[in-house]
Amino acid sequence: LRSAGCATTFVQRAYILILLRLGTCVLPFGMLHSVTPGLHRRRAILQTIMLPAKLKETTTYKKIRAFTERYERFFMPGMLLGGTAIDALQFKLLSTESTFIFAGSYAVICVASIAVMAAQPAQETRLLRYAKVIAPFLQQFTIGALLSTSLLFYWFSGALSVSWPVVGVVAVLMVFNEVLRDFFMKPVVQCTVLYFALFSLSATLAAYTLNSISPWTFVAGGVTSLLVMAAALVVIIRIGSLERLRGVMWLTVAIIFALMNTAYFLNVIPPIPLSLRDAGMYHDITTANGAYTLVGEDESLINKLLPGQTVHIAAGSPVYAYTSIFAPSDMSTVMVHRWQYYDDETRNWMTASALSFSIHGGRSDGYRGYSVKRSLTEGKWRVSVETPRGQVLGRIPFTVDFIAP
């Protein structure tokens, strides 16, 4: 105070020192005027009387903030990829129930992160300042995990040639979430991506819970996602004071809801939770005591990796289509093997026959089944593995070449 040129008595200086030791910077109004006659000097005194803890806190916060801003371009994609990698690992190692529990936890953290990022209080607390530094990274991590879960379920549950629009949307969101980071940091965009992931996972959870792949099960999952998103929007809008964006947010949610239902009833969305574990074409299949003996073509390693098979048969000989389909333990449904050949004149796939059989879930390697067809013609063929509604689980392309008997 002396160095600031303040005319203070010994008692006043002692009183100020006591206040500092007690951890307070409040001065009596009369003393403030008696300490210095000028406005600038009074400000200098107030700036000097600051808590050491407050100074330390501000310095620590600035260091953390500067560090995260400096390496943000590495941390943000790292958190996204980290969430994706961890989710893919747990998808393989953990049970389906555990996967949904983790997904629910990620969704809660993601909602909280979006709300914190949007929050603009009149007075920012210490906790909120630090939370705002961490929230963007948590949002990236959790949205990466949620999108990864959706991608894995859709990837393993349907033929890519049919379900590629949904798989492609998920993959594009994961990539552009980093490339267009500033765009994806907007609350409306964040809520749109979050709802897409919530809808996908809710529909999957409904199928697992109800052990059904009926259209009503999908609709129930979609309605559940709306209820969950409504609660999330209440939290985000209230904490972030985003009443001005309420209409836009609900409009994007409605569009996602309509698009997902349209894709489902157009059979673009695969029949989750079913997944095709193994499939192939064979010359003969026999069963004994639950064991399957498969007789097929001799193929090199390269031919096995390449899509499509060539089946050499004599005219009129049978060809067998074998599939192993995974389903939850309590689920029973009907699958269809649709045999189709390619018509060179019309340039379309024509159905020759459709053979159905029942499957029962519970086997980790999938429920095994096969169909057989005779009197095939030479040329391109495929067996489409479908549900009775026509949702494609997978396709087995092959070419028939006749040989001398």
Side-chain angles (χ1 to χ4, degrees):
L1 291 174
R2 286 178 176 174
S3 64
C6 300
T8 58
T9 66
F10 174 79
V11 175
Q12 290 173 334
R13 291 197 299 271
Y15 180 75
I16 293 172
L17 181 61
I18 292 172
L19 291 178
L20 288 172
R21 292 295 184 183
L22 292 176
T24 177
C25 60
V26 179
L27 292 175
F29 183 78
M31 179 176 287
L32 181 64
H33 281 269
S34 65
V35 167
T36 175
L39 176 62
H40 295 292
R41 290 184 177 179
R42 289 199 297 271
R43 287 179 178 175
I45 293 174
L46 291 176
Q47 292 174 358
T48 304
I49 306 173
M50 296 182 66
L51 300 176
K54 185 71 174 180
L55 286 170
K56 184 177 181 181
E57 174 198 333
T58 304
T59 304
T60 303
Y61 171 76
K62 288 182 178 179
K63 287 181 179 179
I64 295 175
R65 185 65 183 238
F67 179 78
T68 55
E69 289 179 352
R70 181 178 180 181
Y71 296 102
E72 182 183 9
R73 64 183 183 275
F74 303 111
F75 289 154
M76 295 297 270
M79 295 299 287
L80 180 67
L81 294 176
T84 303
I86 291 176
D87 189 73
L89 183 63
Q90 74 183 25
F91 188 87
K92 289 291 186 182
L93 299 179
L94 302 181
S95 64
T96 304
E97 292 79 8
S98 299
T99 300
F100 283 122
I101 292 174
F102 273 100
S105 302
Y106 292 148
V108 173
I109 297 173
C110 187
V111 171
S113 300
I114 295 174
V116 168
M117 292 165 63
Q120 298 292 335
Q123 186 174 2
E124 207 173 60
T125 64
R126 180 178 64 179
L127 179 61
L128 182 59
R129 283 200 300 272
Y130 284 102
K132 277 183 168 292
V133 174
I134 301 172
F137 303 103
L138 288 178
Q139 190 270 341
Q140 287 286 293
F141 180 88
T142 53
I143 202 65
L146 290 172
L147 290 175
S148 174
T149 302
S150 302
L151 179 64
L152 291 171
F153 273 119
Y154 285 108
W155 182 277
F156 289 111
S157 294
L160 187 60
S161 59
V162 176
S163 60
W164 66 266
V166 177
V167 175
V169 167
V170 177
V172 167
L173 285 175
M174 293 179 66
V175 173
F176 281 92
N177 190 48
E178 164 55 23
V179 176
L180 303 177
R181 184 169 62 249
D182 293 338
F183 176 74
F184 276 90
M185 285 293 110
K186 297 179 179 179
V188 174
V189 180
Q190 290 176 332
C191 290
T192 302
V193 177
L194 173 63
Y195 181 63
F196 176 82
L198 286 178
F199 190 110
S200 304
L201 294 174
S202 296
T204 306
L205 178 60
Y208 270 99
T209 304
L210 301 176
N211 292 307
S212 173
I213 56 173
S214 69
W216 289 111
T217 301
F218 185 85
V219 172
V223 173
T224 301
S225 71
L226 279 179
L227 297 176
V228 174
M229 192 62 193
L233 286 180
V234 169
V235 174
I236 294 171
I237 291 174
R238 181 170 298 179
I239 294 178
S241 301
L242 299 174
E243 286 78 8
R244 68 188 187 281
L245 300 177
R246 186 192 305 272
V248 178
M249 288 181 172
W250 272 112
L251 177 61
T252 58
V253 168
I255 292 174
I256 295 296
F257 182 82
L259 290 176
M260 292 295 282
N261 279 277
T262 301
Y264 176 82
F265 287 102
L266 290 177
N267 293 333
V268 175
I269 293 179
I272 295 173
L274 303 180
S275 61
L276 191 62
R277 294 296 174 88
D278 191 15
M281 307 304 300
Y282 296 91
H283 291 289
D284 186 39
I285 297 178
T286 57
T287 61
N289 299 322
Y292 279 65
T293 302
L294 312 176
V295 180
E297 294 275 335
D298 291 329
E299 294 182 304
S300 64
L301 179 60
I302 296 178
N303 289 332
K304 289 180 180 180
L305 295 176
L306 295 175
Q309 296 176 254
T310 299
V311 180
H312 300 89
I313 59 170
S317 296
V319 176
Y320 294 77
Y322 168 84
T323 55
S324 179
I325 301 171
F326 169 80
S329 57
D330 296 327
M331 179 178 289
S332 297
T333 187
V334 175
M335 297 304 298
V336 178
H337 281 184
R338 188 177 301 277
W339 293 71
Q340 297 178 309
Y341 65 92
Y342 186 75
D343 191 327
D344 292 322
E345 293 183 1
T346 61
R347 295 184 178 180
N348 288 318
W349 289 97
M350 311 299 293
T351 299
S353 60
L355 308 173
S356 60
F357 58 95
S358 299
I359 66 169
H360 306 281
R363 188 173 183 271
S364 59
D365 292 332
Y367 186 89
R368 295 166 294 182
Y370 66 91
S371 62
V372 59
K373 184 171 178 58
R374 301 175 184 273
S375 303
L376 279 77
T377 58
E378 282 190 301
K380 295 180 181 179
W381 284 78
R382 71 182 184 186
V383 175
S384 182
V385 185
E386 307 174 358
T387 65
R389 279 192 62 251
Q391 291 173 288
V392 179
L393 190 61
R395 288 194 172 116
I396 316 171
F398 64 101
T399 302
V400 174
D401 279 351
F402 284 163
I403 58 175

